[in-house]
Amino acid sequence: MALNPYFTQGTTNEQNLVQDLINEQLRMYGIDVYYIPRKYVTQNTVIKEVIQSTFDDAYPLEAYVKSEVYEGAGILLSKFGVQQQDDITIIISRERWETYIQPLLKNESNVKLTTRPKEGDLVYFPLGDRLFEIKYVEHEKPFYQLQKTYIYELRCELFRYEDEIIDTGVDAIDDELS
């Protein structure tokens, strides 16, 4: 049994059509978030632990919220006090990343990875006026439709501020930590 010879699998035109449809859906059903890359100031040389990092850029980006509600454990009372553990899953366009954010990050010397969103970066979610930290980036889902991938699925959890410097120039983000 062979594939249907009247349909080609993975031509550039087919791939572009799928990417354009995804981009249009993100613009119709998504929300505007800010992607905030982590910049490494100092790092432990032995175990590569980040000692100090800054967040001083914020890039607007359309994203689809896959989660219907905040996921996670919610508000917990632990021996360390009250902790809020909210998670969210958002979807962004791979093409939008590659044409808009990647070129802006490419020239930054203290950003570790520019070819895709990375774990440790932040996403500002305006609906809840919250900062979320990216914990995992799924980059092969859906699995190679027409021999290509089109989205990044970002699994994020509520950001726990420690001693990072956050000064993005966007008042909605910066006033959150004042």
Side-chain angles (χ1 to χ4, degrees), residues 10-46:
T11 66
T12 304
N13 288 337
E14 289 173 332
Q15 291 172 344
N16 290 342
L17 174 64
V18 171
Q19 185 69 65
D20 289 344
L21 290 171
I22 289 171
N23 292 347
E24 185 175 345
Q25 286 181 340
L26 286 172
R27 288 187 193 104
M28 288 172 50
Y29 303 113
I31 63 166
D32 288 326
V33 299
Y34 282 92
Y35 181 82
I36 308 167
R38 179 183 296 265
K39 295 182 180 174
Y40 298 93
V41 178
T42 57
Q43 200 170 0
N44 187 325
T45 55
V46 177

Side-chain angles (χ1 to χ4, degrees), residues 83-85 133 135 157-162 164:
Q83 297 178 349
Q84 188 160 359
Q85 297 181 343
E133 183 177 359
K135 290 298 184 178
E157 69 181 35
L158 198 59
F159 177 62
R160 289 179 186 83
Y161 179 77
E162 291 173 3
E164 295 88 352

Side-chain angles (χ1 to χ4, degrees), residues 48-162:
K48 303 293 184 197
E49 178 187 21
V50 177
I51 296 173
Q52 185 180 14
S53 58
T54 63
F55 300 94
D56 58 8
D57 288 323
Y59 304 108
L61 188 65
E62 57 275 351
Y64 175 75
V65 182
K66 185 176 179 184
S67 308
E68 292 181 12
V69 295
Y70 290 122
E71 299 167 345
I75 298 174
L76 293 176
L77 180 61
S78 71
K79 63 182 176 182
F80 301 109
V82 177
Q83 297 178 349
Q84 188 160 359
Q85 297 181 343
D86 288 337
D87 299 344
I88 194 167
T89 302
I90 62 174
I91 295 172
I92 64 171
S93 166
R94 178 183 284 265
E95 178 188 57
R96 185 85 162 108
W97 174 270
E98 291 171 352
T99 59
Y100 173 59
I101 294 180
Q102 184 177 348
L104 295 172
L105 292 178
K106 188 169 50 172
N107 298 327
E108 299 283 344
S109 61
N110 48 3
V111 174
K112 298 290 183 197
L113 177 67
T114 62
T115 57
R116 65 169 179 84
K118 74 177 179 309
E119 294 79 1
D121 291 351
L122 302 181
V123 174
Y124 174 70
F125 186 65
L127 296 180
D129 195 24
R130 296 174 163 193
L131 280 174
F132 286 89
E133 183 177 359
I134 299 171
K135 290 298 184 178
Y136 181 72
V137 178
E138 177 62 63
H139 60 280
E140 291 184 326
K141 191 176 182 181
F143 192 71
Y144 293 98
Q145 290 181 339
L146 300 176
Q147 302 175 11
K148 188 176 175 188
T149 56
Y150 306 94
I151 63 168
Y152 292 113
E153 186 175 289
L154 310 177
R155 296 185 195 140
C156 309
E157 69 181 35
L158 198 59
F159 177 62
R160 289 179 186 83
Y161 179 77
E162 291 173 3

